[in-house]
Amino acid sequence: MSRMFCFQCQEAAKNIGCTVRGVCGKTEDVSNLQDLLIFALKGLSVYALKAREAGVSAKEADRRVIEGLFATITNANFDRRYFIDAIRGAIAERESLKKALGGSMATLSDDERDAATWTFREEAQLDKKAADVGFLVERDEDIRSLKALILFGLKGMAAYTEHAEVLGFSDPKIHTFIQKALAATLSTRLSAEDLVALTLETGEYGVAAMSLLDRANTTTYGHPQITKVNIGVRKNPGILISGHDLKDLEELLEQTQGTGVDVYTHGEMLPAQYYPAFKKYDHFAGNYGSAWWKQDKEFESFNGPILMTTNCLVPPKDSYKDRVTVTGVVGFPGLKSIPAREPGKKKDFSALIAQAKTCKPPKEIETGEIVGGFAHETVFALADQVIAAIKEGHIKKFVVMAGCDGRMKSREYYTEFAEKLPKDTVILTAGCAKYRYNKLPLGTIGQIPRVLDAGQCNDSYSLALIALKLKEAFGFESINQLPIVYNIAWYEQKAVIVLLALLYLGVKNIHLGPTLPAFLSPGVTNVLVEKFGISGITDADADLKAFL
Ligand code: SF4
Ligand code: SF3
C-alpha cells in the first residue's frame, strides 16, 4: 500500500505529518482515498466551471464538491466505503457534465487533463493512483504549503456552505469560487505570489460563507439569546447530539417531543441552546460533557444513544459503539447511519428514540450552569454598557480565544491563560476551544460576563462583526486600533477558514496555538509574519505579559 501523508490538523504526528496511521485514528487506506477524492473533485470542478459558463446546470457537482470536501475534514469520516462511492460519484458526474458539453476535451490544459479524465475499473487501482496525487508530489515546499493552506481553507468553507444549504440558503458565487480554487491547485504554473493572492481570496469567500450561514441560522432559528445552560442531568433516558448541524437537532427535537426521552447537546452543539426556536422544547435538557476529545468517557457515561451530525468523531470504543449513530457526511465502519433527507421529507430518528427508551438515564458527571448566547445581536444590544465599561476603564482588553479544543496536553495553556487574565479583561469565544475555560468562575464586569460565548466555530463571524461595530463606535480607522488581543486555538480545517477570514478582514497580530500548522513552510510562515504579524504562543505567564 502506498504510504499515507496527512498534515491537515494540529495533531499531525511530530508536527510534520501522519505517515502510518493518523493520530486521529484515520487509517492509511482512508487517508489515501481522501487524497484521491480531492483529486476527483478537482477534475469535477474543471467541468463544473465549464458547464456554468455554457449555461449548463452544475447543481449536482456543487453538492458533490462541498460534501466531498466536508467528509475529508479531520474526524468526520473514517469509512473506506464512503470515499470509494464518493470518488465514483464525482467521476460519474464529471462524465455527465462532459457529455452535456458535447464530450469535448479540447479545452483542457495539460495540468487539468489527468484529474479531468482519470477513471478506474477496479478498486485495487485506487491505492496506486493515490500515490500520484497526494501533497508530497509537489516538490517545492512553499507551493505545497500554499496549496495546502488553500485546500484546507476550502474544506472549512465547504462545511459552512453545506450547513447553510441544508437550511435552504445558497450562494452560487461560493460554489464557483470553491471550484475555481480547487481547479487552480492543479496548476503547475502558479507562482507563490499567485497562490498568496488566492489564499486571501479564499479568506474573502470564507467571510461570505460564514455570513451566509449566520443568515441561514438566525433567519431559521432566530438570534441567539443570553441563556443559562444546565450541565447536570435529569431522570429520563436521553439522546446526546453532537457536531454542528442544527437542522438535525431541529428534527430530533420534534420527533422526541412527548416520548419521555430528553435531548442533550454535546461539544459544538452546545450553542444550539441559545436559539429561541429550540427553547420551546421542555425536553431539551441541557449540555452533557465538554469538547470532542473527551467523548470516549462522556459517551460511555451518557448511557443513551448518541447522534454525531458532523465532526469531531473519535473512533468509538466497543463498550458504547452500539449506541453511536452517524448522519450527514459522518462515517465510521460498523456504526448505524441515518440516511440523508429525501426531498421534502425529514430524517427518521425513530430507531434512535426506540433505543433510548431501552437505556438508563445519563450518569451525572457535573452540575451547574454555563452562560452563552453572546452572538452579534445580543452584544449589539449591550453595546452601550460595553462601550461605557471600556471608557470608564472597567474593561481594559478583550481577548478573542476562539477556535478548537484538542487532546494535546499543551492545551492546558488555555485554561491557565484564561485563569490568569486580569479581572478587567473579557474573553470573546466561539468554537469548542471554550471548554478549556467556560466552567471556570471568572465572574462578571458589572452585568457583563467575563466569557462571552458567541457560539460554534462558524460564529467567529459574530466576533468579527462585534469588532467592526466597536471600531465604528470609537471612530477608529482600523479594527487593529481596538483593545482586542487574538489568542486563537486551532485544530481542524474549519479553524483554517476562520483564520483566513480574519486575515481578509484585516485583523493583525493573531497568536495561533498550541502549535503553528505543520503545513506552513518556513517561507509561508514568514509571509504570514510579515504581512499579518501572525505568531505562535509560548507559556501563559510570558504571553500574558507580552499580549497585554
Ligand atoms: Fe494526522 Fe490530523 Fe491527518 Fe488525522 S487529520 S491523519 S491526526 S494530520
Ligand atoms: Fe471543535 Fe472538532 Fe474545531 Fe467547530 S468540534 S470547533 S475541533
Side-chain angles (χ1 to χ4, degrees):
M1 178 171 299
S2 61
R3 202 22 107 72
M4 72 179 272
F5 180 77
C6 180
F7 62 168
Q8 67 177 357
C9 86
Q10 190 272 326
E11 292 184 357
K14 302 194 178 91
N15 211 30
I16 296 174
C18 298
T19 52
V20 183
R21 184 190 174 90
V23 173
C24 60
K26 184 160 80 178
T27 52
E28 189 155 59
D29 60 340
V30 169
S31 182
N32 291 340
L33 287 168
Q34 290 185 350
D35 289 347
L36 204 47
L37 173 58
I38 298 294
F39 180 69
L41 295 178
K42 290 177 185 177
L44 174 56
S45 295
V46 168
Y47 272 100
L49 291 166
K50 292 185 193 301
R52 208 172 265 114
E53 264 176 37
V56 171
S57 169
K59 276 216 165 326
E60 180 58 18
D62 294 350
R63 185 188 67 78
R64 285 189 181 276
V65 170
I66 59 167
E67 280 185 15
L69 286 170
F70 193 176
T72 65
I73 280 185
T74 303
N75 293 340
N77 198 311
F78 300 80
D79 190 351
R80 168 186 167 78
R81 188 40 50 201
Y82 178 96
F83 290 104
I84 294 174
D85 292 345
I87 293 167
R88 222 187 276 284
I91 293 173
E93 186 52 27
R94 182 193 75 198
E95 292 307 305
S96 126
L97 287 177
K98 204 182 278 181
K99 207 165 152 204
L101 291 167
S104 164
M105 294 197 299
T107 53
L108 290 177
S109 71
D110 287 347
D111 288 334
E112 292 168 342
R113 189 155 289 118
D114 191 19
T117 57
W118 169 77
T119 189
F120 68 100
R121 273 191 306 279
E122 290 158 19
E123 289 178 15
Q125 294 170 269
L126 294 174
D127 190 62
K128 189 170 171 301
K129 184 67 185 171
D132 301 336
V133 301
F135 272 106
L136 295 182
V137 175
E138 176 59 64
R139 292 289 172 84
D140 182 308
E141 64 170 5
D142 292 334
I143 300 288
R144 183 196 308 149
S145 174
L146 287 164
K147 287 185 174 178
L149 183 55
I150 293 164
L151 175 65
F152 301 154
L154 293 176
K155 290 185 181 195
M157 192 189 307
Y160 294 151
T161 305
E162 202 268 347
H163 286 307
E165 299 220 328
V166 166
L167 298 177
F169 288 72
S170 190
D171 180 350
K173 289 196 289 303
I174 297 175
H175 288 290
T176 307
F177 175 76
I178 290 176
Q179 291 159 8
K180 183 189 103 173
L182 276 177
T185 60
L186 288 168
S187 172
T188 51
R189 281 182 303 243
L190 293 182
S191 64
E193 288 71 38
D194 296 331
L195 291 168
V196 168
L198 187 58
T199 306
L200 290 184
E201 207 183 347
T202 307
E204 179 181 354
Y205 281 91
V207 174
M210 281 194 272
S211 161
L212 181 73
L213 179 54
D214 181 76
R215 204 148 25 90
N217 285 342
T218 55
T219 309
T220 315
Y221 303 118
H223 286 284
Q225 299 167 341
I226 301 177
T227 308
K228 285 184 179 155
V229 180
N230 187 359
I231 55 173
V233 300
R234 297 182 186 173
K235 295 201 164 56
N236 299 323
I239 295 175
L240 188 60
I241 177 168
S242 194
H244 303 69
D245 194 301
L246 298 182
K247 184 77 181 169
D248 287 337
L249 173 70
E250 178 191 345
E251 294 180 354
L252 180 66
L253 283 170
E254 278 168 10
Q255 294 172 35
T256 40
Q257 200 169 20
T259 61
V261 172
D262 291 331
V263 174
Y264 294 79
T265 51
H266 180 266
E268 271 285 70
M269 199 57 87
L270 157 67
Q273 307 266 357
Y274 314 151
Y275 286 95
F278 303 133
K279 289 180 185 288
K280 63 177 182 247
Y281 294 104
D282 291 336
H283 66 297
F284 195 21
N287 192 70
Y288 189 83
S290 44
W292 65 271
W293 60 278
K294 289 191 173 166
Q295 66 188 247
D296 60 336
K297 295 200 174 59
E298 293 167 355
F299 287 4
E300 185 90 64
S301 61
F302 184 74
N303 290 333
I306 297 119
L307 178 65
M308 283 303 307
T309 66
T310 70
N311 61 315
C312 278
L313 174 71
V314 172
K317 290 205 268 190
D318 286 344
S319 53
Y320 62 78
K321 203 172 177 176
D322 64 328
R323 287 193 278 113
V324 183
T325 297
V326 298
T327 191
V329 299
V330 191
F332 193 90
L335 292 188
K336 292 183 284 273
S337 170
I338 291 180
R341 280 172 201 94
E342 286 173 33
K345 291 198 177 154
K346 300 189 175 187
K347 287 189 183 175
D348 177 6
F349 295 115
S350 55
L352 219 65
I353 298 167
Q355 186 182 26
K357 288 179 178 168
T358 68
C359 295
K360 285 190 291 188
K363 180 179 161 203
E364 191 151 82
I365 49 174
E366 54 193 345
T367 56
E369 283 173 339
I370 42 183
V371 183
F374 296 90
H376 48 89
E377 291 310 296
T378 313
V379 178
F380 292 174
L382 294 173
D384 290 347
Q385 277 186 56
V386 173
I387 290 165
I390 299 172
K391 286 190 172 153
E392 288 158 18
H394 302 307
I395 297 179
K396 291 260 167 53
K397 281 248 193 266
F398 290 96
V399 188
V400 173
M401 291 181 73
C404 307
D405 197 8
R407 62 201 127 196
M408 275 188 175
K409 192 155 169 54
S410 55
R411 287 183 189 259
E412 287 170 5
Y413 162 96
Y414 293 105
T415 310
E416 191 188 345
F417 188 91
E419 268 172 335
K420 290 185 171 169
L421 272 170
K423 300 271 174 284
D424 53 10
T425 54
V426 171
I427 296 173
L428 300 175
T429 194
C432 66
K434 65 171 86 60
Y435 285 104
R436 288 282 169 177
Y437 47 80
N438 67 347
K439 295 168 189 170
L440 299 175
L442 295 181
T444 57
I445 298 178
Q447 301 294 309
I448 307 163
R450 287 196 51 235
V451 179
L452 298 181
D453 177 20
Q456 297 181 335
C457 48
N458 41 289
D459 296 309
S460 303
Y461 173 73
S462 232
L463 303 181
L465 290 188
I466 293 166
L468 290 169
K469 183 87 172 175
L470 287 176
K471 179 193 111 178
E472 196 185 295
F474 283 95
F476 290 148
E477 275 178 18
S478 149
I479 44 177
N480 296 305
Q481 291 170 278
L482 288 165
I484 304 182
V485 172
Y486 294 82
N487 191 2
I488 291 179
W490 82 286
Y491 170 63
E492 35 79 359
Q493 299 76 53
K494 295 181 196 179
V496 177
I497 196 60
V498 170
L499 176 71
L500 295 182
L502 291 177
L503 297 184
Y504 171 74
L505 290 171
V507 176
K508 295 231 157 59
N509 303 323
I510 294 175
H511 304 277
L512 189 63
T515 50
L516 289 181
F519 55 82
L520 292 183
S521 65
V524 172
T525 306
N526 278 343
V527 172
L528 293 176
V529 172
E530 278 164 24
K531 267 186 174 276
F532 302 103
I534 284 199
S535 60
I537 56 167
T538 60
D539 65 80
D541 291 317
D543 283 355
L544 280 162
K545 224 165 145 192
F547 302 175
L548 301 174

